[in-house]
PDB file of all heavy atoms in Angstrom:
ATOM      1  N   ALA A 930      -4.566  10.708  12.186  1.00  0.00           N
ATOM      2  CA  ALA A 930      -3.343  11.439  12.384  1.00  0.00           C
ATOM      3  C   ALA A 930      -3.067  11.643  13.882  1.00  0.00           C
ATOM      4  O   ALA A 930      -1.944  11.547  14.356  1.00  0.00           O
ATOM      5  CB  ALA A 930      -3.425  12.788  11.644  1.00  0.00           C
ATOM      6  N   THR A 931      -4.164  11.950  14.601  1.00  0.00           N
ATOM      7  CA  THR A 931      -3.993  12.131  16.059  1.00  0.00           C
ATOM      8  C   THR A 931      -3.551  10.829  16.713  1.00  0.00           C
ATOM      9  O   THR A 931      -2.619  10.829  17.565  1.00  0.00           O
ATOM     10  CB  THR A 931      -5.325  12.565  16.687  1.00  0.00           C
ATOM     11  OG1 THR A 931      -5.822  13.701  15.940  1.00  0.00           O
ATOM     12  CG2 THR A 931      -5.149  12.952  18.152  1.00  0.00           C
ATOM     13  N   ALA A 932      -4.171   9.728  16.315  1.00  0.00           N
ATOM     14  CA  ALA A 932      -3.792   8.438  16.877  1.00  0.00           C
ATOM     15  C   ALA A 932      -2.297   8.162  16.617  1.00  0.00           C
ATOM     16  O   ALA A 932      -1.546   7.777  17.514  1.00  0.00           O
ATOM     17  CB  ALA A 932      -4.634   7.319  16.289  1.00  0.00           C
ATOM     18  N   PHE A 933      -1.852   8.384  15.369  1.00  0.00           N
ATOM     19  CA  PHE A 933      -0.472   8.147  15.038  1.00  0.00           C
ATOM     20  C   PHE A 933       0.446   9.109  15.805  1.00  0.00           C
ATOM     21  O   PHE A 933       1.507   8.728  16.295  1.00  0.00           O
ATOM     22  CB  PHE A 933      -0.214   8.307  13.547  1.00  0.00           C
ATOM     23  CG  PHE A 933      -0.842   7.216  12.697  1.00  0.00           C
ATOM     24  CD1 PHE A 933      -1.399   7.514  11.481  1.00  0.00           C
ATOM     25  CD2 PHE A 933      -0.900   5.918  13.168  1.00  0.00           C
ATOM     26  CE1 PHE A 933      -1.993   6.537  10.728  1.00  0.00           C
ATOM     27  CE2 PHE A 933      -1.486   4.922  12.443  1.00  0.00           C
ATOM     28  CZ  PHE A 933      -2.023   5.233  11.195  1.00  0.00           C
ATOM     29  N   GLY A 934       0.007  10.336  15.966  1.00  0.00           N
ATOM     30  CA  GLY A 934       0.788  11.339  16.665  1.00  0.00           C
ATOM     31  C   GLY A 934       0.958  10.951  18.121  1.00  0.00           C
ATOM     32  O   GLY A 934       2.064  11.058  18.665  1.00  0.00           O
ATOM     33  N   VAL A 935      -0.152  10.524  18.760  1.00  0.00           N
ATOM     34  CA  VAL A 935      -0.090  10.147  20.157  1.00  0.00           C
ATOM     35  C   VAL A 935       0.841   8.940  20.340  1.00  0.00           C
ATOM     36  O   VAL A 935       1.682   8.879  21.277  1.00  0.00           O
ATOM     37  CB  VAL A 935      -1.507   9.833  20.703  1.00  0.00           C
ATOM     38  CG1 VAL A 935      -1.437   9.160  22.058  1.00  0.00           C
ATOM     39  CG2 VAL A 935      -2.312  11.136  20.808  1.00  0.00           C
ATOM     40  N   LEU A 936       0.710   7.990  19.417  1.00  0.00           N
ATOM     41  CA  LEU A 936       1.573   6.809  19.459  1.00  0.00           C
ATOM     42  C   LEU A 936       3.015   7.200  19.367  1.00  0.00           C
ATOM     43  O   LEU A 936       3.894   6.720  20.127  1.00  0.00           O
ATOM     44  CB  LEU A 936       1.197   5.890  18.312  1.00  0.00           C
ATOM     45  CG  LEU A 936       1.477   4.383  18.493  1.00  0.00           C
ATOM     46  CD1 LEU A 936       0.907   3.891  19.783  1.00  0.00           C
ATOM     47  CD2 LEU A 936       0.905   3.632  17.316  1.00  0.00           C
ATOM     48  N   ALA A 937       3.323   8.119  18.461  1.00  0.00           N
ATOM     49  CA  ALA A 937       4.703   8.586  18.254  1.00  0.00           C
ATOM     50  C   ALA A 937       5.199   9.251  19.524  1.00  0.00           C
ATOM     51  O   ALA A 937       6.336   9.072  19.967  1.00  0.00           O
ATOM     52  CB  ALA A 937       4.751   9.543  17.082  1.00  0.00           C
ATOM     53  N   LEU A 938       4.344  10.082  20.116  1.00  0.00           N
ATOM     54  CA  LEU A 938       4.683  10.790  21.336  1.00  0.00           C
ATOM     55  C   LEU A 938       5.051   9.823  22.437  1.00  0.00           C
ATOM     56  O   LEU A 938       6.054   9.929  23.140  1.00  0.00           O
ATOM     57  CB  LEU A 938       3.506  11.678  21.763  1.00  0.00           C
ATOM     58  CG  LEU A 938       3.739  12.587  22.943  1.00  0.00           C
ATOM     59  CD1 LEU A 938       4.655  13.685  22.561  1.00  0.00           C
ATOM     60  CD2 LEU A 938       2.399  13.159  23.422  1.00  0.00           C
ATOM     61  N   LEU A 939       4.182   8.821  22.590  1.00  0.00           N
ATOM     62  CA  LEU A 939       4.346   7.807  23.635  1.00  0.00           C
ATOM     63  C   LEU A 939       5.702   7.117  23.435  1.00  0.00           C
ATOM     64  O   LEU A 939       6.474   6.904  24.379  1.00  0.00           O
ATOM     65  CB  LEU A 939       3.221   6.784  23.528  1.00  0.00           C
ATOM     66  CG  LEU A 939       2.788   6.098  24.796  1.00  0.00           C
ATOM     67  CD1 LEU A 939       2.272   7.143  25.804  1.00  0.00           C
ATOM     68  CD2 LEU A 939       1.720   5.060  24.501  1.00  0.00           C
ATOM     69  N   LEU A 940       5.968   6.759  22.184  1.00  0.00           N
ATOM     70  CA  LEU A 940       7.220   6.004  21.899  1.00  0.00           C
ATOM     71  C   LEU A 940       8.440   6.917  22.188  1.00  0.00           C
ATOM     72  O   LEU A 940       9.444   6.436  22.727  1.00  0.00           O
ATOM     73  CB  LEU A 940       7.204   5.550  20.460  1.00  0.00           C
ATOM     74  CG  LEU A 940       6.222   4.438  20.169  1.00  0.00           C
ATOM     75  CD1 LEU A 940       5.996   4.241  18.689  1.00  0.00           C
ATOM     76  CD2 LEU A 940       6.644   3.126  20.808  1.00  0.00           C
ATOM     77  N   ALA A 941       8.337   8.167  21.809  1.00  0.00           N
ATOM     78  CA  ALA A 941       9.459   9.084  22.044  1.00  0.00           C
ATOM     79  C   ALA A 941       9.687   9.242  23.554  1.00  0.00           C
ATOM     80  O   ALA A 941      10.812   9.269  24.023  1.00  0.00           O
ATOM     81  CB  ALA A 941       9.184  10.440  21.397  1.00  0.00           C
ATOM     82  N   ALA A 942       8.587   9.309  24.296  1.00  0.00           N
ATOM     83  CA  ALA A 942       8.673   9.445  25.741  1.00  0.00           C
ATOM     84  C   ALA A 942       9.332   8.206  26.346  1.00  0.00           C
ATOM     85  O   ALA A 942      10.216   8.317  27.227  1.00  0.00           O
ATOM     86  CB  ALA A 942       7.291   9.672  26.346  1.00  0.00           C
ATOM     87  N   ILE A 943       8.933   7.032  25.875  1.00  0.00           N
ATOM     88  CA  ILE A 943       9.533   5.790  26.360  1.00  0.00           C
ATOM     89  C   ILE A 943      11.038   5.784  26.062  1.00  0.00           C
ATOM     90  O   ILE A 943      11.853   5.440  26.919  1.00  0.00           O
ATOM     91  CB  ILE A 943       8.827   4.572  25.723  1.00  0.00           C
ATOM     92  CG1 ILE A 943       7.414   4.477  26.255  1.00  0.00           C
ATOM     93  CG2 ILE A 943       9.610   3.271  26.061  1.00  0.00           C
ATOM     94  CD1 ILE A 943       6.579   3.435  25.552  1.00  0.00           C
ATOM     95  N   GLY A 944      11.356   6.182  24.830  1.00  0.00           N
ATOM     96  CA  GLY A 944      12.768   6.240  24.433  1.00  0.00           C
ATOM     97  C   GLY A 944      13.559   7.143  25.360  1.00  0.00           C
ATOM     98  O   GLY A 944      14.635   6.804  25.827  1.00  0.00           O
ATOM     99  N   LEU A 945      12.997   8.316  25.621  1.00  0.00           N
ATOM    100  CA  LEU A 945      13.656   9.299  26.464  1.00  0.00           C
ATOM    101  C   LEU A 945      13.847   8.761  27.864  1.00  0.00           C
ATOM    102  O   LEU A 945      14.917   8.857  28.457  1.00  0.00           O
ATOM    103  CB  LEU A 945      12.811  10.581  26.489  1.00  0.00           C
ATOM    104  CG  LEU A 945      13.507  11.817  27.005  1.00  0.00           C
ATOM    105  CD1 LEU A 945      14.589  12.218  26.056  1.00  0.00           C
ATOM    106  CD2 LEU A 945      12.490  12.958  27.126  1.00  0.00           C
ATOM    107  N   TYR A 946      12.759   8.126  28.370  1.00  0.00           N
ATOM    108  CA  TYR A 946      12.813   7.540  29.699  1.00  0.00           C
ATOM    109  C   TYR A 946      13.960   6.535  29.794  1.00  0.00           C
ATOM    110  O   TYR A 946      14.770   6.548  30.728  1.00  0.00           O
ATOM    111  CB  TYR A 946      11.470   6.894  30.026  1.00  0.00           C
ATOM    112  CG  TYR A 946      11.488   6.046  31.283  1.00  0.00           C
ATOM    113  CD1 TYR A 946      11.389   6.654  32.542  1.00  0.00           C
ATOM    114  CD2 TYR A 946      11.637   4.658  31.204  1.00  0.00           C
ATOM    115  CE1 TYR A 946      11.420   5.878  33.666  1.00  0.00           C
ATOM    116  CE2 TYR A 946      11.647   3.891  32.330  1.00  0.00           C
ATOM    117  CZ  TYR A 946      11.548   4.482  33.578  1.00  0.00           C
ATOM    118  OH  TYR A 946      11.576   3.732  34.697  1.00  0.00           O
ATOM    119  N   GLY A 947      14.046   5.688  28.773  1.00  0.00           N
ATOM    120  CA  GLY A 947      15.049   4.652  28.767  1.00  0.00           C
ATOM    121  C   GLY A 947      16.449   5.248  28.794  1.00  0.00           C
ATOM    122  O   GLY A 947      17.314   4.850  29.605  1.00  0.00           O
ATOM    123  N   VAL A 948      16.684   6.215  27.945  1.00  0.00           N
ATOM    124  CA  VAL A 948      18.001   6.802  27.836  1.00  0.00           C
ATOM    125  C   VAL A 948      18.415   7.518  29.120  1.00  0.00           C
ATOM    126  O   VAL A 948      19.521   7.414  29.600  1.00  0.00           O
ATOM    127  CB  VAL A 948      18.109   7.730  26.615  1.00  0.00           C
ATOM    128  CG1 VAL A 948      19.331   8.627  26.722  1.00  0.00           C
ATOM    129  CG2 VAL A 948      18.154   6.919  25.346  1.00  0.00           C
ATOM    130  N   MET A 949      17.449   8.267  29.676  1.00  0.00           N
ATOM    131  CA  MET A 949      17.729   9.021  30.909  1.00  0.00           C
ATOM    132  C   MET A 949      17.992   8.072  32.063  1.00  0.00           C
ATOM    133  O   MET A 949      18.957   8.286  32.823  1.00  0.00           O
ATOM    134  CB  MET A 949      16.556   9.960  31.266  1.00  0.00           C
ATOM    135  CG  MET A 949      16.323  11.088  30.331  1.00  0.00           C
ATOM    136  SD  MET A 949      17.827  11.970  29.858  1.00  0.00           S
ATOM    137  CE  MET A 949      18.295  12.664  31.398  1.00  0.00           C
ATOM    138  N   THR A 950      17.181   7.039  32.188  1.00  0.00           N
ATOM    139  CA  THR A 950      17.384   6.082  33.253  1.00  0.00           C
ATOM    140  C   THR A 950      18.784   5.472  33.167  1.00  0.00           C
ATOM    141  O   THR A 950      19.544   5.348  34.128  1.00  0.00           O
ATOM    142  CB  THR A 950      16.347   4.944  33.167  1.00  0.00           C
ATOM    143  OG1 THR A 950      15.064   5.542  33.136  1.00  0.00           O
ATOM    144  CG2 THR A 950      16.485   4.007  34.342  1.00  0.00           C
ATOM    145  N   TYR A 951      19.180   5.150  31.925  1.00  0.00           N
ATOM    146  CA  TYR A 951      20.471   4.528  31.697  1.00  0.00           C
ATOM    147  C   TYR A 951      21.612   5.492  32.071  1.00  0.00           C
ATOM    148  O   TYR A 951      22.530   5.136  32.789  1.00  0.00           O
ATOM    149  CB  TYR A 951      20.602   4.110  30.242  1.00  0.00           C
ATOM    150  CG  TYR A 951      21.744   3.184  30.108  1.00  0.00           C
ATOM    151  CD1 TYR A 951      21.629   1.831  30.355  1.00  0.00           C
ATOM    152  CD2 TYR A 951      23.003   3.692  29.752  1.00  0.00           C
ATOM    153  CE1 TYR A 951      22.687   0.985  30.274  1.00  0.00           C
ATOM    154  CE2 TYR A 951      24.112   2.832  29.684  1.00  0.00           C
ATOM    155  CZ  TYR A 951      23.947   1.475  29.938  1.00  0.00           C
ATOM    156  OH  TYR A 951      24.985   0.658  29.871  1.00  0.00           O
ATOM    157  N   ALA A 952      21.419   6.741  31.607  1.00  0.00           N
ATOM    158  CA  ALA A 952      22.453   7.702  31.855  1.00  0.00           C
ATOM    159  C   ALA A 952      22.656   7.944  33.338  1.00  0.00           C
ATOM    160  O   ALA A 952      23.787   8.068  33.847  1.00  0.00           O
ATOM    161  CB  ALA A 952      22.145   9.038  31.157  1.00  0.00           C
ATOM    162  N   ILE A 953      21.548   7.945  34.075  1.00  0.00           N
ATOM    163  CA  ILE A 953      21.652   8.193  35.502  1.00  0.00           C
ATOM    164  C   ILE A 953      22.273   7.032  36.232  1.00  0.00           C
ATOM    165  O   ILE A 953      23.111   7.210  37.161  1.00  0.00           O
ATOM    166  CB  ILE A 953      20.255   8.531  36.066  1.00  0.00           C
ATOM    167  CG1 ILE A 953      19.906   9.921  35.653  1.00  0.00           C
ATOM    168  CG2 ILE A 953      20.203   8.385  37.577  1.00  0.00           C
ATOM    169  CD1 ILE A 953      18.460  10.184  35.614  1.00  0.00           C
ATOM    170  N   THR A 954      21.932   5.793  35.833  1.00  0.00           N
ATOM    171  CA  THR A 954      22.577   4.646  36.455  1.00  0.00           C
ATOM    172  C   THR A 954      24.090   4.795  36.279  1.00  0.00           C
ATOM    173  O   THR A 954      24.868   4.495  37.170  1.00  0.00           O
ATOM    174  CB  THR A 954      22.120   3.347  35.750  1.00  0.00           C
ATOM    175  OG1 THR A 954      20.773   3.496  35.420  1.00  0.00           O
ATOM    176  CG2 THR A 954      22.329   2.172  36.625  1.00  0.00           C
ATOM    177  N   ARG A 955      24.495   5.235  35.102  1.00  0.00           N
ATOM    178  CA  ARG A 955      25.912   5.383  34.823  1.00  0.00           C
ATOM    179  C   ARG A 955      26.576   6.451  35.678  1.00  0.00           C
ATOM    180  O   ARG A 955      27.729   6.388  36.028  1.00  0.00           O
ATOM    181  CB  ARG A 955      26.070   5.758  33.329  1.00  0.00           C
ATOM    182  CG  ARG A 955      26.518   4.585  32.487  1.00  0.00           C
ATOM    183  CD  ARG A 955      27.176   5.107  31.257  1.00  0.00           C
ATOM    184  NE  ARG A 955      28.292   5.931  31.621  1.00  0.00           N
ATOM    185  CZ  ARG A 955      28.329   7.250  31.560  1.00  0.00           C
ATOM    186  NH1 ARG A 955      27.284   7.931  31.130  1.00  0.00           N
ATOM    187  NH2 ARG A 955      29.398   7.925  31.911  1.00  0.00           N
ATOM    188  N   ARG A 956      25.777   7.508  35.934  1.00  0.00           N
ATOM    189  CA  ARG A 956      26.353   8.687  36.613  1.00  0.00           C
ATOM    190  C   ARG A 956      26.141   8.630  38.128  1.00  0.00           C
ATOM    191  O   ARG A 956      26.299   9.651  38.784  1.00  0.00           O
ATOM    192  CB  ARG A 956      25.799   9.951  36.021  1.00  0.00           C
ATOM    193  CG  ARG A 956      26.248  10.217  34.586  1.00  0.00           C
ATOM    194  CD  ARG A 956      25.508  11.347  33.978  1.00  0.00           C
ATOM    195  NE  ARG A 956      25.747  12.575  34.678  1.00  0.00           N
ATOM    196  CZ  ARG A 956      25.014  13.664  34.518  1.00  0.00           C
ATOM    197  NH1 ARG A 956      23.993  13.639  33.667  1.00  0.00           N
ATOM    198  NH2 ARG A 956      25.276  14.770  35.174  1.00  0.00           N
ATOM    199  N   THR A 957      25.726   7.489  38.607  1.00  0.00           N
ATOM    200  CA  THR A 957      25.433   7.371  40.057  1.00  0.00           C
ATOM    201  C   THR A 957      26.576   7.942  40.892  1.00  0.00           C
ATOM    202  O   THR A 957      26.395   8.738  41.809  1.00  0.00           O
ATOM    203  CB  THR A 957      25.196   5.900  40.456  1.00  0.00           C
ATOM    204  OG1 THR A 957      24.185   5.395  39.614  1.00  0.00           O
ATOM    205  CG2 THR A 957      24.744   5.798  41.879  1.00  0.00           C
ATOM    206  N   GLY A 958      27.801   7.556  40.511  1.00  0.00           N
ATOM    207  CA  GLY A 958      28.953   7.997  41.285  1.00  0.00           C
ATOM    208  C   GLY A 958      29.077   9.514  41.292  1.00  0.00           C
ATOM    209  O   GLY A 958      29.211  10.164  42.339  1.00  0.00           O
ATOM    210  N   GLU A 959      28.988  10.069  40.100  1.00  0.00           N
ATOM    211  CA  GLU A 959      29.129  11.522  39.961  1.00  0.00           C
ATOM    212  C   GLU A 959      28.067  12.256  40.769  1.00  0.00           C
ATOM    213  O   GLU A 959      28.341  13.223  41.513  1.00  0.00           O
ATOM    214  CB  GLU A 959      29.023  11.882  38.472  1.00  0.00           C
ATOM    215  CG  GLU A 959      29.063  13.417  38.218  1.00  0.00           C
ATOM    216  CD  GLU A 959      28.415  13.765  36.906  1.00  0.00           C
ATOM    217  OE1 GLU A 959      28.395  12.934  35.995  1.00  0.00           O
ATOM    218  OE2 GLU A 959      27.899  14.907  36.791  1.00  0.00           O
ATOM    219  N   ILE A 960      26.808  11.751  40.667  1.00  0.00           N
ATOM    220  CA  ILE A 960      25.706  12.423  41.359  1.00  0.00           C
ATOM    221  C   ILE A 960      25.906  12.281  42.885  1.00  0.00           C
ATOM    222  O   ILE A 960      25.718  13.260  43.635  1.00  0.00           O
ATOM    223  CB  ILE A 960      24.350  11.817  40.949  1.00  0.00           C
ATOM    224  CG1 ILE A 960      24.102  12.159  39.493  1.00  0.00           C
ATOM    225  CG2 ILE A 960      23.230  12.327  41.848  1.00  0.00           C
ATOM    226  CD1 ILE A 960      22.943  11.422  38.864  1.00  0.00           C
ATOM    227  N   GLY A 961      26.388  11.100  43.282  1.00  0.00           N
ATOM    228  CA  GLY A 961      26.608  10.903  44.693  1.00  0.00           C
ATOM    229  C   GLY A 961      27.662  11.885  45.207  1.00  0.00           C
ATOM    230  O   GLY A 961      27.517  12.499  46.302  1.00  0.00           O
ATOM    231  N   LEU A 962      28.673  12.122  44.405  1.00  0.00           N
ATOM    232  CA  LEU A 962      29.751  13.050  44.783  1.00  0.00           C
ATOM    233  C   LEU A 962      29.162  14.463  44.908  1.00  0.00           C
ATOM    234  O   LEU A 962      29.444  15.198  45.868  1.00  0.00           O
ATOM    235  CB  LEU A 962      30.815  13.009  43.699  1.00  0.00           C
ATOM    236  CG  LEU A 962      32.191  13.524  44.074  1.00  0.00           C
ATOM    237  CD1 LEU A 962      32.747  12.673  45.239  1.00  0.00           C
ATOM    238  CD2 LEU A 962      33.132  13.473  42.915  1.00  0.00           C
ATOM    239  N   ARG A 963      28.310  14.823  43.913  1.00  0.00           N
ATOM    240  CA  ARG A 963      27.696  16.154  43.969  1.00  0.00           C
ATOM    241  C   ARG A 963      26.893  16.323  45.263  1.00  0.00           C
ATOM    242  O   ARG A 963      26.967  17.360  45.919  1.00  0.00           O
ATOM    243  CB  ARG A 963      26.757  16.380  42.779  1.00  0.00           C
ATOM    244  CG  ARG A 963      27.504  16.714  41.502  1.00  0.00           C
ATOM    245  CD  ARG A 963      26.560  16.663  40.323  1.00  0.00           C
ATOM    246  NE  ARG A 963      27.292  16.748  39.072  1.00  0.00           N
ATOM    247  CZ  ARG A 963      27.550  17.910  38.467  1.00  0.00           C
ATOM    248  NH1 ARG A 963      27.066  19.028  38.952  1.00  0.00           N
ATOM    249  NH2 ARG A 963      28.223  17.927  37.351  1.00  0.00           N
ATOM    250  N   VAL A 964      26.074  15.256  45.586  1.00  0.00           N
ATOM    251  CA  VAL A 964      25.285  15.340  46.780  1.00  0.00           C
ATOM    252  C   VAL A 964      26.167  15.461  48.003  1.00  0.00           C
ATOM    253  O   VAL A 964      25.922  16.255  48.899  1.00  0.00           O
ATOM    254  CB  VAL A 964      24.369  14.107  46.896  1.00  0.00           C
ATOM    255  CG1 VAL A 964      23.610  14.105  48.225  1.00  0.00           C
ATOM    256  CG2 VAL A 964      23.331  14.107  45.750  1.00  0.00           C
TER     257      VAL A 964
END
Side-chain angles (χ1 to χ4, degrees):
Chain A
T931 309
F933 291 144
V935 167
L936 206 51
L938 185 71
L939 210 62
L940 289 166
I943 292 171
L945 196 66
Y946 169 80
V948 164
M949 292 314 295
T950 306
Y951 194 84
I953 284 156
T954 323
R955 257 202 59 254
R956 291 172 62 194
T957 306
E959 176 203 333
I960 293 169
L962 201 61
R963 281 169 190 268
V964 174

